[in-house]
């Protein structure tokens, strides 16, 4: 898995002259001896200007600030302006400030028009994100339906070819799972479906192992997202011990047959080490289908029955959190 160096520095302010900054760094380095480690650290620095040369996420507040910023008098740091000094400098600065004030007053109508356009862009961006999320849900439904009908297709999810995307693409219960994992954890992800959850773990720089029980999903994940995924059958379910200290299953438990779930939890009770934290989520109703005719899921889970079942297997600290997207997140320890 690709790791990002903590020494990378990105400068995204267009007002910063990167060339002058690099010349200043080089001149200072020439004044004192430099070690090999310092040179290697400097070589990893990355100066990223504002678009179009470099990518930046649109920031409405910063854009409005730049528009209102207006003209600022020069600081006369350039040697070319060395002759402007004394009263002449004060007169020049006063003229620039007066012009900036006059320009701001004359441009009030232009400013109002700019904010109207900016507000419309923000609204359009929000609508665009909502449409993307709806499309992903419908497309996921289409893919699952075709696989259930044994039709071979090659899925192309929007998020699979992009590393950066809005966090709203995750459901509320999936966000809760991500918030319960830190980069310091040793993580095993079971049945990640088509791997969208894995993309968020990669974005958060969380190392993990991944096990898929669906051959088609495994091939998609290995090709598009994470090349170290493992493909196991329902006969194996789990890799050989020792298992990581945190085990997560982001897919809906109710999509699996009841006998698979019973076997999975019994295997977890046998193979996981004491202190292992387990995180799962389930919903007895499908939230992917827009139709009022909901499909019958393979398994129905009873809340009280699940807690009693886990306690009998030796798990403790069983806690269940109901989330606004219709899912329940269950956490417990070995």
């Amino acid at each position: 898995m690709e790791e990002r160096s903590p020494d990378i520095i990105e400068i995204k302010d267009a007002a910063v002259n990167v060339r002058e900054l690099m010349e200043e760094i080089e001149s200072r380095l020439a004044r004192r001896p430099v070690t090999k480690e310092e040179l290697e650290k400097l070589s990893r620095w990355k100066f990223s200007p504002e678009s179009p040369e470099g990518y930046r996420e649109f920031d409405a507040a910063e854009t409005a600030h730049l528009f209102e910023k207006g003209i600022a008098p020069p600081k006369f740091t350039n040697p070319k302006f060395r002759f402007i000094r004394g009263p002449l400098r004060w007169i020049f600065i006063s003229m620039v400030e007066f012009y900036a004030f006059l320009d701001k007053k004359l441009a009030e109508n232009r400013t109002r028009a700019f904010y109207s356009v900016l507000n419309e862009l923000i609204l359009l961006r929000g609508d665009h994100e909502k449409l993307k999320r709806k499309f992903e849900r419908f497309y996921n439904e289409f893919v699952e339906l075709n696989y259930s009908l044994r039709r071979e297709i090659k899925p192309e999810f929007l998020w699979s070819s992009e590393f950066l995307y809005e966090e709203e693409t995750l459901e509320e219960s999936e966000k809760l799972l991500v918030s319960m994992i830190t980069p310091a954890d040793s993580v095993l992800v079971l049945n990640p479906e088509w791997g969208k959850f894995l993309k968020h773990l990669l974005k958060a720089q969380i190392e993990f192992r991944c096990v898929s029980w669906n051959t088609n999903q495994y091939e998609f994940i290995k090709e598009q997202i994470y090349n170290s995924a493992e493909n196991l059958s329902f006969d194996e379910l789990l890799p050989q011990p020792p298992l990581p200290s945190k085990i997560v299953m982001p897919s809906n438990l109710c999509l699996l047959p009841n006998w698979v779930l019973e076997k999975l939890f019994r295997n977890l009770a046998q193979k996981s080490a004491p202190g292992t934290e387990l995180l799962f989520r389930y919903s007895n109703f499908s939230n992917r289908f827009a139709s009022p005719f909901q499909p019958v899921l393979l398994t129905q889970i009873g809340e009280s029955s699940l807690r009693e079942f886990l306690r009998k297997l030796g798990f403790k600290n069983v806690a269940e959190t109901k989330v606004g997207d219709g899912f329940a997140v269950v956490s417990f320890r070995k």
Side-chain angles (χ1 to χ4, degrees):
M1 187 178 67
E2 181 183 359
E3 294 185 357
R4 297 183 181 179
S5 171
D7 299 322
I8 291 179
I9 299 175
E10 294 189 16
I11 297 179
K12 299 181 178 180
D13 190 349
V16 176
N17 191 322
V18 177
R19 179 176 295 178
E20 290 184 0
L21 184 60
M22 291 302 298
E23 290 176 354
E24 177 67 20
I25 292 174
E26 290 174 358
S27 65
R28 292 193 180 188
L29 288 175
R31 298 173 194 166
R32 68 178 186 86
V34 184
T35 64
K36 181 180 178 182
E37 290 75 15
E38 290 175 322
L39 285 174
E40 290 178 351
K41 184 177 180 180
L42 260 176
S43 66
R44 292 195 295 268
W45 285 14
K46 176 184 176 184
F47 299 96
S48 177
E50 197 171 3
S51 55
E53 289 84 8
Y55 171 78
R56 290 192 67 180
E57 187 178 353
F58 174 72
D59 189 336
E62 184 178 356
T63 303
H65 170 70
L66 291 173
F67 187 81
E68 286 186 334
K69 192 175 181 180
I71 302 171
K75 297 180 180 179
F76 301 100
T77 56
N78 195 317
K80 294 180 181 179
F81 299 119
R82 63 181 178 275
F83 64 91
I84 303 178
R85 60 182 62 188
L88 186 60
R89 178 180 294 187
W90 179 83
I91 293 173
F92 185 78
I93 292 175
S94 300
M95 290 176 62
V96 172
E97 290 177 345
F98 176 74
Y99 175 77
F101 172 77
L102 188 63
D103 179 71
K104 189 173 182 179
K105 286 296 182 182
L106 294 175
E108 287 183 355
N109 290 335
R110 185 180 64 191
T111 302
R112 283 197 292 268
F114 168 77
Y115 276 109
S116 297
V117 173
L118 186 63
N119 180 67
E120 189 66 23
L121 286 174
I122 294 172
L123 295 176
L124 287 174
R125 188 185 183 196
D127 291 341
H128 173 69
E129 293 299 329
K130 291 177 182 177
L131 287 174
K132 280 177 62 177
R133 292 195 293 272
K134 284 187 178 180
F135 171 78
E136 290 292 347
R137 292 192 186 100
F138 285 125
Y139 188 67
N140 196 95
E141 174 186 338
F142 166 76
V143 171
E144 295 291 345
L145 180 61
N146 276 272
Y147 274 115
S148 65
L149 297 175
R150 300 295 187 270
R151 294 175 183 172
E152 291 295 329
I153 64 171
K154 186 177 181 181
E156 295 179 2
F157 291 99
L158 290 176
W159 47 261
S160 65
S161 58
E162 301 175 3
F163 192 85
L164 297 176
Y165 47 87
E166 297 295 329
E167 294 197 1
E168 283 73 12
T169 55
L170 281 181
E171 296 175 356
E172 190 176 348
S173 53
E174 291 175 311
K175 290 182 189 178
L176 179 59
L177 288 178
V178 173
S179 68
M180 300 169 75
I181 306 172
T182 66
D185 293 327
S186 172
V187 182
L188 172 64
V189 183
L190 301 175
N191 194 33
E193 293 189 328
W194 299 100
K196 181 176 65 174
F197 186 82
L198 301 182
K199 293 281 285 188
H200 284 270
L201 295 184
L202 290 171
K203 181 181 177 182
Q205 298 185 355
I206 296 174
E207 296 185 2
F208 59 86
R209 294 173 63 185
C210 167
V211 171
S212 178
W213 303 319
N214 184 316
T215 304
N216 295 314
Q217 291 174 351
Y218 160 75
E219 292 174 353
F220 178 83
I221 291 172
K222 191 174 180 63
E223 179 181 351
Q224 298 287 340
I225 299 170
Y226 188 66
N227 58 8
S228 297
E230 301 176 55
N231 184 26
L232 300 178
S233 66
F234 283 151
D235 294 329
E236 300 170 285
L237 286 176
L238 296 173
Q240 292 300 318
L243 300 180
S245 59
K246 185 165 289 189
I247 300 175
V248 185
M249 186 166 168
S251 61
N252 188 359
L253 291 176
C254 296
L255 296 176
L256 293 172
N258 63 322
W259 64 270
V260 172
L261 292 177
E262 287 197 20
K263 182 178 179 180
L264 171 64
F265 285 112
R266 294 185 188 279
N267 285 358
L268 286 171
Q270 295 174 359
K271 294 184 178 182
S272 60
T276 301
E277 184 178 4
L278 301 101
L279 304 171
F280 294 83
R281 71 180 191 125
Y282 73 90
S283 175
N284 288 317
F285 304 95
S286 172
N287 63 345
R288 289 181 175 173
F289 291 78
S291 171
F293 308 105
Q294 294 289 308
V296 177
L297 301 181
L298 288 176
T299 303
Q300 294 286 309
I301 297 178
E303 179 180 340
S304 58
S305 302
L306 177 62
R307 291 186 178 185
E308 185 62 26
F309 176 74
L310 294 175
R311 290 193 183 100
K312 287 181 178 180
L313 290 178
F315 294 109
K316 56 187 178 181
N317 299 338
V318 181
E320 186 169 299
T321 305
K322 297 294 180 63
V323 190
D325 59 2
F327 277 86
V329 174
V330 183
S331 63
F332 49 97
R333 290 183 178 273
K334 173 66 182 293

